[in-house]
Amino acid sequence: MNYSRFFNPTSLARQPSAIRVMTAIVASGPPSLISMAGGMPNADLFPIHEASLTLRDGSVLRIPPEQMKKALQYSATPGLPELVQWMKTLQKQMHNPPTRGISDPQRQLDVLITTGSQDGICKTMEACLQEGQNVLLETPTYSGTLSIVKPMRPKMLGIKSDKDGLDPAHLREVLSKWHPSDAKDDSSSIPRLLYLVPNGGNPTGAGLTLKRKKEIYELAQQYDLLILEDDPYYYLQFNEPYIPSLLSMDVDGRVVRFDSVSKLLSGGARVGVVTGPKAVLERINFHMQASVLHTSGLAQTCILSVLESMGQDGLRKHAHTVADFYLKQRDACIAAVEKHLTGLAEWSVPSGGMFLWIRLLHVKDTFSLITEKARAAEVIFVPGQAFMIDEAAPSPYLRASYSLVSPADMDKGFQRLADLLREQSKE
Ligand SMILES: Cc1ncc(COP(=O)(O)O)c(CNc2cc3ccccc3n(O)c2=O)c1O
């Protein structure tokens, strides 16, 4: 793999920050090392001395003084070593990535803690994209990624998707404009990056089938694409066994995977996990050294304490409990739309995640309906335009999230939407 072809000049210009290099040396040095290098504050002066976390099951996790000192002090950019190691073990267990132990230092698998997977995606896009460059994005897709990508003004090539996720046939059709050999020509306009959400799609709730993942991976090999596998809903798949990830089939080191603790443990802790080839994670690491230095040590420590108390099996058990909750919520949501929107809208039943993607049958564009009339009727959704590459184009879609609302309120909410649609059709 020639990774340099994926990075823009700004990313290639990034070098290790001197301060972060010193921090790493101090952290790994012998106790006899006398360091007057890092401008670190004296942690003995920090007012927070220790903490305890009471979990819902009544157990109490202690963060003792020595661990609290580390949590409150500056720490390594890639993440607290113990948390990085925990995540490496989890990724091995869940995905068994083929690049885990390979000798090639560029392709060898690595793990990095970011401030939410959002920041991992952001820094990866900021390392790779250039104005006017072709980039492949599933469509519709996560509005947060579109807000990262659009200001960089690449040429966004939307790849169609359906209830089974991104359509490999359309990906093949779009790529057929080039020849695989163009990937060896630096001056070629051939796309180099593919972004997708494989499970519990946002906004669609769609899940990529294994067959499609294999086809997508083969196309990525043929055209030398880097695949950004944005997968915060992996553990919110409603069917088991989980469909194997693209990371699990990544023999080349071309998959950069984004996981998140947001849907299982805490969204506000802002802890994400990037897993992928060292050559790519190094670029993100250098960018973090210049931006945030590292993700909050306190947040990482709290998450690590919970994970260590759960263990890998406990986390999977917790994930099943969470997925079961969202499955019940999904079923209540489907019951409500079947009751109120049959004949007025159409939808596919989500295979994971927390979103239902609804197409209104007699509405050209949902934007004003939702932001004005639905709001007045005291029910709110997200208009489809938010998930489109061309946000100016009318969209008959809306995204409903069933994560927070009770089944009774879902029923009321869709009743209000149905009344609105019937009112509108009389106009
Ligand atoms: C596909 C995909 N990739 C990455 C992320 C970011 O996850 P994180 O940074 O690891 O927490 C997300 C989070 N999506 C949303 C978050 C959110 C937060 C407050 C309010 C609304 C929100 N809505 O609507 C969302 O869709 C996602 O869906």
Side-chain angles (χ1 to χ4, degrees), residues 115-119 121 138 141-145 195 197 199-202 230-233 258-263 266-268 270-273 354-355 382 387 399 401:
T115 304
S117 57
Q118 184 81 23
D119 191 44
I121 299 161
E138 72 174 6
T141 201
Y142 171 42
S143 54
T145 298
Y195 168 84
V197 180
N199 295 300
N202 183 350
D230 179 14
D231 205 0
Y233 307 104
F258 304 92
D259 283 277
S260 172
V261 305
S262 292
K263 317 305 172 183
S266 163
R270 306 309 300 127
V271 173
V273 186
M354 48 180 75
F355 305 114
V382 182
F387 305 97
R399 185 195 78 174
S401 172

Side-chain angles (χ1 to χ4, degrees), residues 366-377:
T366 56
F367 188 80
S368 56
L369 176 89
I370 290 174
T371 54
E372 293 158 24
K373 295 181 180 169
R375 188 173 164 192

Side-chain angles (χ1 to χ4, degrees), residues 59-362:
S59 57
V60 179
L61 308 179
R62 270 199 75 227
I63 301 177
E66 274 320 295
Q67 192 181 9
M68 180 55 84
K69 238 194 232 181
K70 277 189 187 170
L72 295 173
Q73 183 56 280
Y74 289 111
S75 52
T77 297
L80 290 181
E82 300 87 344
L83 182 59
V84 171
Q85 189 49 52
W86 207 96
M87 289 299 175
K88 279 182 176 171
T89 307
L90 178 70
Q91 298 302 56
K92 174 185 175 303
Q93 275 211 351
M94 297 307 294
H95 310 284
N96 195 22
T99 53
R100 217 167 48 75
I102 59 171
S103 57
D104 177 349
Q106 291 280 300
R107 292 163 57 219
Q108 208 176 69
L109 192 85
D110 203 358
V111 163
L112 187 59
I113 305 299
T114 55
T115 304
S117 57
Q118 184 81 23
D119 191 44
I121 299 161
C122 187
K123 287 193 162 62
T124 306
M125 293 292 190
E126 288 175 346
C128 299
L129 295 187
Q130 296 185 64
E131 186 168 346
Q133 188 186 56
N134 288 308
V135 58
L136 301 160
L137 301 167
E138 72 174 6
T139 185
T141 201
Y142 171 42
S143 54
T145 298
L146 292 174
S147 62
I148 295 167
V149 172
K150 288 184 175 178
M152 300 172 77
R153 293 181 295 176
K155 274 197 200 117
M156 293 175 280
L157 306 179
I159 307 300
K160 290 178 193 149
S161 66
D162 57 29
K163 68 174 180 52
D164 293 330
L166 182 142
D167 177 1
H170 188 231
L171 177 60
R172 186 184 305 279
E173 181 193 327
V174 170
L175 284 168
S176 65
K177 190 183 153 200
W178 293 273
H179 187 274
S181 61
D182 290 332
K184 302 224 180 307
D185 170 4
D186 278 351
S187 65
S188 167
S189 63
I190 190 170
R192 301 167 192 213
L193 214 61
L194 167 64
Y195 168 84
L196 54 81
V197 180
N199 295 300
N202 183 350
T204 62
L208 260 179
T209 61
L210 179 57
K211 179 173 178 296
R212 287 192 171 189
K213 283 183 179 177
K214 287 178 177 171
E215 286 178 51
I216 290 165
Y217 191 78
E218 281 158 19
L219 281 166
Q221 288 181 303
Q222 207 182 337
Y223 287 87
D224 195 15
L225 300 176
L226 203 61
I227 301 175
L228 304 190
E229 181 178 42
D230 179 14
D231 205 0
Y233 307 104
Y234 176 77
Y235 295 97
L236 271 55
Q237 294 179 64
F238 298 144
N239 306 308
E240 295 215 38
Y242 297 145
I243 295 181
S245 63
L246 285 157
L247 183 69
S248 71
M249 54 186 81
D250 184 20
V251 290
D252 298 341
R254 65 175 68 254
V255 174
V256 185
R257 178 180 171 80
F258 304 92
D259 283 277
S260 172
V261 305
S262 292
K263 317 305 172 183
L264 291 182
L265 304 180
S266 163
R270 306 309 300 127
V271 173
V273 186
V274 184
T275 310
K278 276 186 190 296
V280 178
L281 271 60
E282 180 184 57
R283 296 291 120 202
I284 302 169
N285 185 23
F286 290 164
H287 192 166
M288 287 179 73
Q289 288 183 2
S291 64
V292 288
L293 302 185
H294 58 74
T295 293
S296 160
L298 193 52
Q300 291 187 71
T301 300
C302 291
I303 293 297
L304 177 64
S305 299
V306 174
L307 291 173
E308 285 176 336
S309 73
M310 281 181 167
Q312 307 270 342
D313 292 345
L315 177 65
R316 292 177 68 169
K317 197 160 150 268
H318 174 67
H320 290 149
T321 306
V322 173
D324 286 348
F325 170 79
Y326 287 117
L327 175 56
K328 289 188 181 68
Q329 289 287 103
R330 182 211 62 183
D331 291 346
C333 187
I334 294 299
V337 291
E338 280 176 349
K339 176 179 166 189
H340 296 295
L341 296 184
T342 298
L344 296 171
E346 61 186 23
W347 56 86
S348 297
V349 178
S351 60
M354 48 180 75
F355 305 114
L356 181 63
W357 188 232
I358 300 172
R359 190 166 86 85
L360 300 185
L361 295 178
H362 314 301

